[in-house]
Amino acid sequence: MLGIEPLAIGDLIVTEVLQGFRSDADFAQAKALLLSSTVFDMLGVENAVRSAEHYRALRKRGFTIRKTADVIIATFCIIEGHGLLFSDKDFIPFVEQFGLREVI
């Protein structure tokens, strides 16, 4: 996607990516690369409440999302009108039920 579409990353995703590095040098290099992109603040009170509403609505429809972070990421993208590049199947109900735009 680099060079094709403008890309940004959420602060929550920065956390998820960076926490996986064991080497300090790799961590520092990844941190510099990630923070050179546009970084969105993803939660806040409005998004927190909307995320809970999305989770509850999906649960009522028979979908259980395994990670709270996925609910927050999907909800942020829906509210802000951003597409999401993903491979995690937990995002599919957000595409089908709430119109999350999948970036392929």
Side-chain angles (χ1 to χ4, degrees):
M1 301 304 303
L2 287 172
I4 297 171
E5 287 193 34
L7 295 177
I9 191 166
D11 54 359
L12 181 58
I13 300 163
V14 169
T15 300
E16 288 187 317
V17 170
L18 291 179
Q19 70 188 8
F21 287 95
R22 290 196 170 120
S23 156
D24 290 343
D26 291 342
F27 175 88
Q29 184 178 12
K31 177 182 164 189
L33 179 63
L34 292 173
L35 297 183
S36 70
S37 302
T38 300
V39 179
F40 291 118
D41 295 328
M42 296 188 78
L43 196 53
V45 174
E46 179 183 335
N47 286 357
V49 171
R50 184 71 71 84
S51 293
E53 291 169 345
H54 279 159
Y55 178 86
R56 294 181 75 247
L58 288 174
R59 188 176 58 199
K60 286 178 186 177
R61 297 174 190 174
F63 301 100
T64 300
I65 308 303
R66 298 171 292 164
K67 294 183 236 166
T68 300
D70 290 350
V71 178
I72 294 166
I73 292 164
T75 299
F76 173 81
C77 290
I78 292 164
I79 290 171
E80 298 296 324
H82 299 300
L84 181 63
L85 177 65
F86 66 87
S87 61
D88 185 331
K89 67 180 181 168
D90 277 347
F91 290 108
I92 294 171
F94 291 95
V95 171
E96 295 171 348
Q97 302 294 315
F98 300 118
L100 172 63
R101 186 171 53 88
E102 181 179 4
V103 175
I104 299 174

